[in-house]
Amino acid sequence: VLIENATGKLRAMVGSRNYFEAKSGQVNGAWASRSAGSTFKPFTYLLALELGMTPATVIADVPTDFATSTGIFSPQNFDHRFAGPVSIRDALANSLNVPAVKALDQIGGAKVLQTRLRQCGLTTLNAEAAHYGLGLTIGNAEARLLELANAYATLARLGVHRPVRFLESDAGEPTRVFDAAHAWLLVDILADNRARA
């Protein structure tokens, strides 16, 4: 999926490797609902920035248990290790799960994130927020690639959402979803190669 950030115009979309493939060629993978993985973490941290945290805010990446209506939730990082105290900048740049879950808990939980993601055009988050819980930030929900790419274009536009324009004649009013200054900080983190190192 290739979206022109400034206008929201869809410039390219490849739905499958080969349209004529018998089993899945005519399935548009860019529109299919798939696991969001860690793609919601930036939005969690952006909300945390809006509520007063900074890229330098330290969150403890340590084993943590969260009580939920279905039992104890104990998130793990991908490598099953913990980094100790980390800044939001480093936690996001290294896609650490535990700090993202802690950040979501501190900003008010899944409902806050779900609401803002919907404002960014994600239409797949239809269950009650409690269904996703704090795991929403680390990928226990599905998203469509086309909608997710446009949500990231919202970040690139410093918090302004535009509907995807399939045709040149399509129109849609831009809406501010995130504070511009905080969106700029978030984009700076995503572009920080040193933090990922």
Side-chain angles (χ1 to χ4, degrees):
V1 171
L2 179 63
I3 295 173
E4 186 176 86
N5 288 338
T7 64
K9 292 177 184 176
L10 181 65
R11 294 302 189 191
M13 182 172 71
V14 178
S16 69
R17 191 176 347 177
N18 179 356
Y19 178 82
F20 298 102
E21 185 179 284
K23 290 188 178 183
S24 62
Q26 295 177 24
V27 174
N28 185 349
W31 189 246
S33 296
R34 297 188 176 192
S35 170
S38 292
T39 59
F40 293 162
K41 286 177 186 172
F43 301 93
T44 298
Y45 287 118
L46 179 49
L47 292 169
L49 295 174
E50 287 186 343
L51 291 177
M53 294 185 193
T54 73
T57 297
V58 174
I59 299 177
D61 181 26
V62 296
T64 307
D65 296 330
F66 296 89
T68 71
S69 60
T70 58
I72 299 297
F73 173 46
S74 305
Q76 296 285 318
N77 292 318
F78 180 76
D79 62 2
H80 298 285
R81 292 192 267 176
F82 298 94
V86 293
S87 67
I88 284 179
R89 178 177 293 277
D90 288 340
L92 177 54
N94 292 281
S95 194
L96 299 175
N97 289 338
V98 177
V101 172
K102 285 185 173 184
L104 183 58
D105 188 43
Q106 290 176 20
I107 65 170
K111 183 66 176 173
V112 174
L113 178 58
Q114 179 188 33
T115 299
R116 206 65 74 91
L117 289 170
R118 283 181 173 173
Q119 291 173 350
C120 287
L122 289 153
T123 62
T124 54
L125 304 174
N126 297 318
E128 292 293 321
H131 170 77
Y132 306 114
L134 296 175
L136 180 59
T137 191
I138 58 173
N140 71 354
E142 294 185 334
R144 294 183 173 107
L145 178 60
L146 178 62
E147 293 176 345
L148 190 58
N150 198 38
Y152 271 78
T154 299
L155 299 179
R157 290 188 291 264
L158 300 181
V160 175
H161 173 73
R162 289 182 174 275
V164 174
R165 294 177 59 189
F166 290 90
L167 304 173
E168 291 289 330
S169 59
D170 286 347
E173 289 299 313
T175 55
R176 177 152 298 283
V177 178
F178 299 105
D179 174 76
H182 295 108
W184 187 93
L185 289 171
L186 192 281
V187 171
D188 183 67
I189 294 171
L190 292 176
D192 189 346
N193 289 328
R194 287 184 298 171
R196 279 192 294 279

